[in-house]
Amino acid sequence: MGLYVTLGVSYWWWLARRHGASTGGTMRAVGFTDFGGPEVMQILELPQPQPGPGQVRIKVAAAAVNPADLNIRSGVARRKYPNAFPLSDGYVVGGDAAGVVDAVGEGVRPELAVGTEVIAVLPTRKTEGAQAEYVVAPAESVVRAPAGADPIAASTLLMNALTARMALDALHLAPGQTVAVTGAAGAVGGYAVQLARADGVTVIADASDRDRDLVAGFGADHIVARGAGFADHVRRIRPDGADGVIDAAGLDGAVAPAVRDGGTIASVTLHSGTTERGLRWSPVVVSTRFTDTETLTRLRDQAESGVLSLRVAKTFPAEHAAEAHRYLAAGGVRGRPVLTF
């Protein structure tokens, strides 16, 4: 598990201003011009974006690397969703950014004034991803950073916590009901456990032997072995099945027996399986709530209060993005790799 280190406000400013603020010219961005393996990742020189009405520009200090970035870079995402990833001369990936507001457009709420430490979640479309020295984002997708968190840790929050929040929302569980979570040691699964416990929901979570203490620390009520036998383990604890399942590990159809008749399965891989026994599948498309400022703010507050853990697996300078992709693709990562600028 990565460490969450509090280094103070000065560290934000040092990282964000290391290359100096600017009002024009070019910037460095992490991206690629051809789909392929990690080796295609490179530093691109791009024009600095300028904020329009309702937008803020962020001088990025840190940007998390998520599995979606690997799918985009490899071309898998474009093959599945060509309209979401139109052809471009270059691509910049990354949905999570942390840094300092350095320019604002008209109509931006006052709390996002120049100099404010912020986190943002951005769509990865063409060269508009988060892994760049400067990014422009809708003000609705930007919130103040968690107090006391350094930008490296803060950059790991929004994409994964929002995914977990949406998965829980899809299940419509009441306090005292039960959710079963796969991939509980991972970034999304870990947040799902913590958010469910904060909602008063009983959690059955999977873990390998080496991750049992980690998952127990997230607040899981019951821990079962990870893998193909997940549904059987859940049924031993809840003979009728859990009220809902969050499949963060991508077990897909194998999780169906774990949920009770009429229950819901939230899938982060967008899987839809059998509807026998009245089962409902709810694919989680996180980008549909990137502008949900209220939820982003609540997640920030929960990180600030300690309900949610900020988890950094390893840091890489932006120039070593290919290494970060290899590291994440190897599996077993607890937390998120982070690129620094």
Side-chain angles (χ1 to χ4, degrees), residues 232-260:
D232 291 336
H233 297 315
V234 171
R235 287 278 181 164
R236 291 190 186 100
I237 298 169
R238 291 288 186 272
D240 293 333
D243 296 296
V245 171
I246 295 176
D247 183 23
L251 298 184
D252 296 338
V255 303
V259 70
R260 64 168 172 80

Side-chain angles (χ1 to χ4, degrees), residues 60-303:
V60 176
V65 180
N66 288 292
D69 303 340
L70 278 61
N71 289 333
I72 296 170
R73 180 260 300 153
S74 68
V76 168
R78 188 175 191 282
R79 287 193 292 273
K80 288 185 176 180
Y81 312 106
N83 292 334
F85 300 98
L87 286 174
S88 174
D89 291 335
Y91 298 86
V92 175
V93 294
D96 279 310
V100 177
V101 175
D102 88 323
V104 298
E106 295 180 1
V108 171
R109 60 190 193 276
E111 68 187 77
L112 299 180
V114 171
T116 304
E117 299 159 4
V118 294
I119 50 177
V121 62
L122 297 93
T124 51
R125 185 178 184 276
K126 296 188 177 182
T127 57
E128 299 169 7
Q131 295 171 12
E133 284 187 293
Y134 293 89
V135 297
V136 165
E140 294 88 351
S141 300
V142 183
V143 295
R144 178 182 57 78
D150 71 82
I152 292 173
S155 74
T156 64
L157 176 64
L158 288 182
M159 178 76 77
N160 295 287
L162 181 60
T163 302
R165 181 69 263 168
M166 290 176 65
L168 269 172
D169 290 349
L171 303 183
H172 302 290
L173 300 180
Q177 289 191 290
T178 299
V179 63
V181 180
T182 71
V188 172
Y191 282 144
V193 173
Q194 292 182 314
L195 289 169
R197 292 301 296 128
D199 289 351
V201 173
T202 298
V203 178
I204 303 172
D206 70 351
S208 64
D209 288 343
R210 78 179 182 100
D211 288 326
R212 289 185 69 88
D213 289 345
L214 174 65
V215 174
F218 294 152
D221 298 280
H222 307 277
I223 300 176
V224 301
R226 61 178 296 181
F230 176 76
D232 291 336
H233 297 315
V234 171
R235 287 278 181 164
R236 291 190 186 100
I237 298 169
R238 291 288 186 272
D240 293 333
D243 296 296
V245 171
I246 295 176
D247 183 23
L251 298 184
D252 296 338
V255 303
V259 70
R260 64 168 172 80
D261 293 359
T264 301
I265 302 166
S267 170
V268 303
T269 62
L270 310 186
H271 182 79
S272 292
T274 179
T275 57
E276 295 177 0
R277 301 187 293 115
L279 300 188
R280 297 184 297 274
W281 291 79
S282 182
V284 179
V285 183
V286 66
S287 60
T288 61
R289 284 177 63 180
F290 277 2
T291 57
D292 183 352
T293 311
E294 181 179 355
T295 298
L296 299 181
T297 301
R298 182 183 177 195
L299 294 170
R300 186 276 316 285
D301 291 345
Q302 289 180 304

Side-chain angles (χ1 to χ4, degrees), residues 27-46 63-65 68-70 72-75 88-95 124-135 317-326 339-341:
M27 66 172 185
R28 296 180 308 145
V30 173
F32 57 92
T33 56
D34 294 296
F35 297 105
E39 70 279 357
V40 304
M41 298 301 295
Q42 59 185 287
I43 296 295
L44 305 176
E45 290 289 332
L46 298 174
V65 180
D69 303 340
L70 278 61
I72 296 170
R73 180 260 300 153
S74 68
S88 174
D89 291 335
Y91 298 86
V92 175
V93 294
T124 51
R125 185 178 184 276
K126 296 188 177 182
T127 57
E128 299 169 7
Q131 295 171 12
E133 284 187 293
Y134 293 89
V135 297
E319 293 79 5
H320 293 179
E323 185 181 346
H325 277 229
R326 293 187 186 98
L339 301 178
T340 57
F341 290 85

